[in-house]
Amino acid sequence: MISEGMAEVLRSLRLSGVNGAAQASARALGAEGVALSVLVGPDRQAEPLWCHPELSARFEELQFTLGEGPAPDAMRIGAPVLEPDLARVRPERWPALLPAARKMGVHGVCCFPLGIGAIRVGVLTMLCDPARPPDDQQYADATALAAALTMACLDGEHPDRRNHRTSGLNELQTSFLHRAAVHQATGMISVQLGVSMEIALLRLRAHAYAGDRPLGEVAQDVVARRLRFNDDKSGPHSPDGGKG
């Protein structure tokens, strides 16, 4: 059975849609932070829809930049990934993410995939304090929230079932492309290197990780043509002569 606080969040979702529910969800879950990301575009990249507080947004960006972490794993396997104490995780599981998360101040994470069967639409991430690991009530609330968010997202793909007061996945695809620069940069790098979109995204991620820069910031440089990727093995370079 869900808590009264989560029941109120779910009622709000039905009336107002998924937008703006981050703070209320974090409060109802008793979490250090929450983030909702949905999969959009032909390459099914995770796009953040809402995060609270700002630390959650930075952790989402970290996972996307590295391409590893509990959220990518949850979306890949279609099952929750519960690691309320990252200090207990084997270092080789997420070798790049774990030290970066500690440096960032994230010490526990639980992720719940959004989807039905083989259909995956996103992931709900909950940041935890290892000193106060989630209890059964919080897990039940998070599971119920993930199910409600799944239905809210999928509802937008079926106009005949759409509640016009809610936002579905179709609306999210056109209105919340926070990572539009990453998508555009990936396409440009694909052309520059003559490689697939998947390889282009890996090259972009590797460059961001090597330079300890946010992925979106590097992507903006590519889109603005301040950074260009070559295939001469010398690495990306800046057209103005500076090394990228």
Side-chain angles (χ1 to χ4, degrees):
M1 180 177 295
I2 64 174
S3 67
E4 291 185 5
M6 183 51 63
E8 182 59 33
V9 171
L10 299 188
R11 280 193 291 271
S12 176
L13 287 176
R14 285 194 294 272
L15 293 173
S16 306
V18 300
N19 303 325
Q23 188 168 356
S25 297
R27 185 168 54 249
L29 291 170
E32 296 290 294
V34 296
L36 169 64
S37 291
V38 296
L39 300 179
V40 300
D43 50 355
R44 308 288 289 164
Q45 291 189 23
E47 187 80 26
L49 177 57
W50 47 244
C51 304
H52 178 82
E54 193 266 344
L55 177 62
S56 294
R58 290 195 287 121
F59 185 67
E60 287 293 281
E61 185 69 15
L62 176 66
Q63 292 189 101
F64 186 67
T65 297
L66 299 176
E68 67 177 37
D73 281 6
M75 287 186 281
R76 177 174 53 81
I77 65 177
V81 175
L82 311 176
E83 297 294 354
D85 186 356
L86 292 179
R88 302 172 67 88
V89 177
R90 301 187 315 277
E92 63 271 21
R93 184 175 182 186
W94 301 311
L97 179 119
L98 290 174
R102 282 195 298 272
K103 182 179 179 181
M104 184 178 287
V106 173
H107 302 290
V109 184
C110 294
C111 291
F112 301 83
L114 273 58
I116 298 176
I119 301 174
R120 312 277 166 71
V121 297
V123 63
L124 174 69
T125 296
M126 180 170 67
L127 304 187
C128 313
D129 181 350
R132 297 182 292 107
D135 56 23
D136 291 344
Q137 180 65 71
Q138 289 168 297
Y139 283 130
D141 284 350
T143 301
L145 178 59
L149 292 171
T150 296
M151 297 311 298
C153 291
L154 290 175
D155 194 46
E157 296 186 324
H158 301 279
D160 57 323
R161 294 192 285 109
R162 185 182 305 168
N163 181 333
H164 292 290
R165 291 177 298 180
T166 66
S167 297
L169 192 57
N170 288 345
E171 286 81 358
L172 304 182
Q173 289 175 328
T174 58
S175 302
F176 291 93
L177 292 178
H178 296 276
R179 291 181 174 139
V182 174
H183 304 310
Q184 187 176 354
T186 300
M188 293 173 66
I189 295 168
S190 176
V191 172
Q192 291 167 6
L193 297 178
V195 298
S196 67
M197 296 286 282
E198 290 77 9
I199 297 297
L201 179 58
L202 285 174
R203 292 288 296 268
L204 183 65
R205 280 173 163 159
H207 185 73
Y209 178 65
D212 194 23
R213 298 177 63 196
L215 187 64
E217 185 178 296
V218 176
Q220 289 285 359
D221 283 349
V222 175
V223 172
R225 305 185 188 284
R226 293 189 293 266
L227 180 66
R228 179 181 175 85
F229 282 64
N230 291 333
D231 59 358
D232 60 0
K233 310 300 182 184
S234 61
H237 75 281
S238 300
D240 62 3
K243 194 71 176 175

